[in-house]
Amino acid sequence: MQIGVPKEVKTHEYRVGLVPGSVRELIHRGHDVTVESAAGAGIDISDEAYRAAGAHVVSSAQELFARADLIVKVKEPQPQEIALLREGQVVFAYLHLAADKAQAEGLLESGVICIAYETVTDGRGGLPLLAPMSEVAGRMAVQVGAHYLEKEQGGRGILLGGVPGVPAAKVVILGGGVAGTNAARMAMGVEAWVTVIDKSLSRLYELDLQFGSQLHTLFSTVDNIEKEVLPADLVIGAVLIPGAAAPKLVSRDMVHRMRPGSVLVDISIDQGGCFETSRPTTHSEPIYVEGDVIHYCVTNMPGAVARTSSFALNNATLPFVLQLADKGWKRALQDDVHLRRGLNVYSGRITHEAVGQALGLASVSADEALST
């Protein structure tokens, strides 16, 4: 199969879809890999490293997209990339379509087949291709929050862990999944006062067994969220419904009643965000202030630690890329129900129910699409 790895063009996105080790594995199996020049430059991987792994290196995205049958990348195709897509081409990447109708319409019009990392599942009910980036984003959220709580950054001037005789900061985490759990670990590690709110009693039970009295857990209700968020110093939104838009758990009124200089970090922003005041930001302009509360809503948080993120992501995606290449995309989707759940767009149709509902567009099942 002809596989293409473009250079990411989203603002301050330095991750890369395939690292040289993954390229070598594909070429060892008889596939052809083309990499756009400087695709790995942001994580200190040279064109020569890709050539040594057996890849062809081309100078332009136009040449790469024209050559490849399967595009493996990190972030959703940007408008200039969508213009290069052709009917029948396969895109394997993070898409987050529920919060991006313009992208969805562009992909539908192009006639491509799109498999979204974030809705691929595993046998344990998890999201294996989202998990490594959720781990990174969860851990980063605490670092980011600590930074913006500093007075010179506009924050309340609070040290997360406090010092003897001075209370630690109050950190509230909405969602106890992979991102929320990693955020909790980091926040507890610096001795903050940490509360996780989740709607799953079984997940709260697991967190209690894992962390004991270090972590405080609450069942998700409007009342509990309000009582915890209003006095919080740092609130981390880590809510995920696979494929769907994130629920708005914190209202604008609630944000405006928080203490000035508090910080919100919305990891859920890729799916629209879980604070009513959230709007997407970039690494070049990561924050804004509303209601005297600092909002950090960067849509590609793990891109800030691009080298760590790229290798972690490749560990998870490579087995699926190999399936797509070895079997052909259609057979691979038919054979693997978990990969099939990643199918979001198929030749002009939405093939994930939650995505269709979020966008207000009709959808068909992946099974139905593949059978026609």
Side-chain angles (χ1 to χ4, degrees):
M1 180 177 280
Q2 296 283 338
I3 301 163
V5 183
K7 178 178 170 60
E8 298 290 328
V9 294
K10 188 164 184 169
T11 303
H12 288 291
E13 180 54 74
Y14 304 108
R15 289 174 290 179
V16 65
L18 293 174
V19 297
S22 300
V23 169
R24 185 178 179 187
E25 191 71 22
L26 284 158
I27 289 170
H28 176 70
R29 296 193 184 209
H31 304 294
D32 188 271
V33 181
T34 302
V35 178
E36 185 179 352
S37 181
I43 58 171
D44 197 29
I45 296 177
S46 66
D47 289 349
E48 187 51 45
Y50 280 110
R51 290 191 184 98
H56 305 283
V57 176
V58 297
S59 59
S60 70
Q62 288 82 357
E63 186 177 354
L64 181 136
F65 277 79
R67 183 170 184 160
D69 299 314
L70 168 63
I71 301 290
V72 180
K73 64 192 309 291
V74 180
K75 291 304 291 178
E76 69 279 0
Q78 301 300 293
Q80 64 266 44
E81 294 176 307
I82 292 176
L84 299 175
L85 295 171
R86 66 177 187 272
E87 186 174 350
Q89 204 165 32
V90 180
V91 177
F92 194 32
Y94 288 116
L95 297 178
H96 299 291
L97 293 175
D100 192 347
K101 191 169 186 177
Q103 183 206 168
E105 290 172 342
L107 295 175
L108 289 169
E109 187 176 345
S110 71
V112 294
I113 294 94
C114 295
I115 305 166
Y117 291 162
E118 70 271 12
T119 60
V120 173
T121 60
D122 62 23
R124 300 183 299 277
L127 302 169
L129 307 189
L130 191 62
M133 296 303 93
S134 295
E135 291 168 353
V136 171
R139 296 180 185 210
M140 279 190 65
V142 177
Q143 294 180 189
V144 166
H147 176 65
Y148 286 107
L149 278 171
E150 295 174 8
K151 192 65 180 177
E152 66 179 36
Q153 303 301 324
R156 299 192 67 226
I158 288 180
L159 182 67
L160 280 185
V163 292
V166 180
K170 180 176 176 60
V171 178
V172 176
I173 301 168
L174 304 176
V178 175
T181 301
N182 277 271
R185 285 184 60 191
M186 290 291 285
M188 287 186 292
V190 297
E191 300 183 359
W193 177 276
V194 185
T195 301
V196 172
I197 300 177
D198 199 284
K199 67 177 183 178
S200 168
L201 282 175
S202 61
R203 183 58 189 152
L204 294 176
Y205 179 71
E206 291 168 356
L207 290 170
D208 185 71
L209 286 179
Q210 183 175 354
F211 297 113
S213 59
Q214 280 186 287
L215 179 66
H216 310 277
T217 59
L218 281 174
F219 183 71
S220 181
T221 64
V222 172
D223 192 60
N224 280 340
I225 290 172
E226 184 175 61
K227 285 178 179 177
E228 293 299 313
V229 165
L230 290 182
D233 300 299
L234 170 61
V235 183
I236 297 171
V239 180
L240 175 71
I241 301 173
K248 303 296 184 187
L249 300 181
V250 177
S251 67
R252 177 169 275 100
D253 173 70
M254 205 181 301
V255 170
H256 283 249
R257 287 191 286 141
M258 292 176 68
R259 292 185 290 194
S262 301
V263 177
L264 302 180
V265 178
D266 199 342
I267 300 173
S268 304
I269 192 63
D270 276 330
Q271 296 291 120
C274 61
F275 307 115
E276 194 175 12
T277 48
S278 291
R279 62 177 186 267
T281 63
T282 66
H283 286 295
S284 59
E285 295 184 39
I287 65 164
Y288 60 91
V289 177
E290 180 171 334
D292 294 324
V293 175
I294 297 171
H295 292 62
Y296 180 98
C297 303
V298 175
T299 55
N300 57 332
M301 283 180 67
V305 287
R307 187 173 175 89
T308 296
S309 296
S310 293
F311 282 93
L313 181 60
N314 268 238
N315 289 341
T317 58
L318 181 59
F320 293 100
V321 176
L322 290 171
Q323 282 190 60
L324 291 166
D326 289 348
K327 295 181 176 182
W329 63 268
K330 192 166 189 177
R331 172 73 182 277
L333 289 168
Q334 290 170 334
D335 286 355
D336 187 340
V337 64
H338 300 298
L339 182 60
R340 191 159 67 246
R341 286 176 184 146
L343 186 64
N344 280 207
V345 175
Y346 182 94
S347 300
R349 291 176 287 180
I350 296 290
T351 52
H352 193 289
E353 184 179 6
V355 171
Q357 288 177 348
L359 296 174
L361 298 174
S363 65
V364 299
S365 71
D367 289 334
E368 182 182 346
L370 290 168
S371 68
T372 55

